[in-house]
């Protein structure tokens, strides 16, 4: 498949790595790097819709899955209206768990799934159920990725603190002021730009997990989303303002967002420093995967999610289901983003790793 776009002088290795990614693709992808406000890598190619052979274009939008969490973490830090040390019930009367806002943002609240019949697209209903739910552990004592409930909880906290929906806050705090092509609650007029998601053969979730009992919990957490092509490609999913995973955007805008953050824009220095220091770390109590979180952001970890250790010191951002990777390398003064519509299992996906290694070698 043809590589489209451009790279600045000295970044040819990144173009070559992206060409390798496309050569092995059933779908499409884009990779962007913005450094000091300048796009030094802006590449795309492949198919936005393999079934109808629609090509990936420079403005193709794609569901970002958990890359959404980094966007929402930025909104939380920019508004600075949620005290991470405050009990959740201080903002949300009737919330029964003895959890702080920091526990929610750092994935230690012990509420990794909604117990009871629910529609994952209904933020308010899921939040109401979570408010009455007993945590699986004492909040703050264990870390485990709250794949979808992070979004229900944070959206409700923001709604109560500001009186506005999380999608409105993304638009008013990030997209409009900084001209970012990012959307939470994607409007109908953008449907024609959407990439169609597809799962690679053998796609699986939580590939490091062997325990059958905890596997049942993981399946419960993701049921009806990553196991359903229909749901993940539905207009209803894109319209839902799911703060954990339904944002759409371009690699160019995600890379620009993280470059802005790394240069002290969008979020003032003190709130950003607080949001990007370690608030939780350890092996996921459910998934067995090493984790390290700030206040909603993923941080550099022992398995190299954010690239070579020579570059990833101080890195923050958020990955997304199926291969997306978005973040900042503050020491290198850049933001990066890899977006794809072809979901691959973590243990069989080296695309973003290859691109970040080439980027490191180019600096």
């Amino acid at each position: 498949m043809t590589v489209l776009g451009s790279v600045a002088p000295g970044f040819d290795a990144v173009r070559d790595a992206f060409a390798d990614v496309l050569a092995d693709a059933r779908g499409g992808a884009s990779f962007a790097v913005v450094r000091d406000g300048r796009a030094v890598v802006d590449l795309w190619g492949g198919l936005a819709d393999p079934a109808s052979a629609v090509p990936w274009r420079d403005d193709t939008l794609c569901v970002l899955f958990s890359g959404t969490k980094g966007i929402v973490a930025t909104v939380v830090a920019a508004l600075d209206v949620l005290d991470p040390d405050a009990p959740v019930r201080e903002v949300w009367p009737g919330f029964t768990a003895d959890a702080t806002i920091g526990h929610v943002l750092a994935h230690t609240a012990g509420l990794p799934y909604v117990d009871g019949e629910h529609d994952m697209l209904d933020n308010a209903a899921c939040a109401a159920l979570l408010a009455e739910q007993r945590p699986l552990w004492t909040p703050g004592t264990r870390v485990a990725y709250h794949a979808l409930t992070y979004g229900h909880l944070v959206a409700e906290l923001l709604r109560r603190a500001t009186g506005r929906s999380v999608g409105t806050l993304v638009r008013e705090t990030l997209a409009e002021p900084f001209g970012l092509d990012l959307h939470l609650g994607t409007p109908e007029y953008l449907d024609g730009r959407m990439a169609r998601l597809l799962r690679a053969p053998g796609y699986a979730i939580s590939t490091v997990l062997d325990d059958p009992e905890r596997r049942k919990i993981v399946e419960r957490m993701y049921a009806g989303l990553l196991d359903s092509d229909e749901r993940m490609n539905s207009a209803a999913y894109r319209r839902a303002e799911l703060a954990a995973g339904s944002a759409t955007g371009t690699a160019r805008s995600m890379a620009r967002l993280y470059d802005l953050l790394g240069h002290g824009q969008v979020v003032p220095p003190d709130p950003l420093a607080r949001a990007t220091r370690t608030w939780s770390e350890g092996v996921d109590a459910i998934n067995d995967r090493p984790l390290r979180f700030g206040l909603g952001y993923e941080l550099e970890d022992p398995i190299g999610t954010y690239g070579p250790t020579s570059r990833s010191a101080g890195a923050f951002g958020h990955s997304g289901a199926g291969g997306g990777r978005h973040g900042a390398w503050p020491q290198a003064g850049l933001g990066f983003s890899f977006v794809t519509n072809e979901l691959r299992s973590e243990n069989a996906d080296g695309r973003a790793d290859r691109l970040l290694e080439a980027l490191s070698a180019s600096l």
Side-chain angles (χ1 to χ4, degrees), residues 327-345:
W329 285 353
Q331 292 186 0
L334 61 79
F336 63 84
S337 174
F338 174 64
V339 171
T340 180
N341 62 340
E342 183 182 350
L343 281 66
R344 296 186 182 180
S345 303

Side-chain angles (χ1 to χ4, degrees), residues 34 46 62 83 109-110 119 121 123 148 178 196 218 256 263 288:
V34 177
C62 192
D83 178 0
D119 177 358
L121 304 186
N123 269 322
L148 294 176
F178 298 98
R196 182 167 180 81
V218 169
R256 185 163 173 243
H263 286 85
D288 285 343

Side-chain angles (χ1 to χ4, degrees), residues 291-345:
L291 299 175
R292 186 163 169 250
F293 285 108
L295 294 176
Y297 293 114
E298 285 180 338
L299 308 179
E300 56 173 325
D301 57 33
I303 59 176
T305 300
Y306 287 90
T309 55
S310 60
R311 300 294 181 188
S312 64
F316 63 94
H318 215 290
S319 55
R325 199 85 56 88
H326 326 277
W329 285 353
Q331 292 186 0
L334 61 79
F336 63 84
S337 174
F338 174 64
V339 171
T340 180
N341 62 340
E342 183 182 350
L343 281 66
R344 296 186 182 180
S345 303

Side-chain angles (χ1 to χ4, degrees), residues 25 34 58 72 102 113-115 135 138 175 182 206 228 244 257 260-261 276 314 361:
V34 177
D58 69 326
V72 172
Y113 57 81
V114 179
D115 198 7
T138 301
L182 301 174
S206 301
S228 170
L257 172 64
L260 288 167
L261 284 167
T276 56

Side-chain angles (χ1 to χ4, degrees), residues 175-187:
E176 291 178 349
F178 298 98
L180 300 176
D181 197 1
L182 301 174
H183 317 274
L184 184 54
T186 305

Side-chain angles (χ1 to χ4, degrees), residues 7 28 31 52 62 66 77 149 166-168 176 188 190 208 210 212 231 294 324 327 329 334:
V7 297
F31 184 59
S52 56
C62 192
S66 287
T149 56
V166 65
T168 298
E176 291 178 349
E188 182 179 0
L190 293 174
V208 299
D210 293 322
R231 173 58 70 91
W329 285 353
L334 61 79

Side-chain angles (χ1 to χ4, degrees), residues 39-52:
V40 295
V41 175
D42 190 9
L43 300 171
W44 64 89
L47 299 174
D49 186 348
S52 56

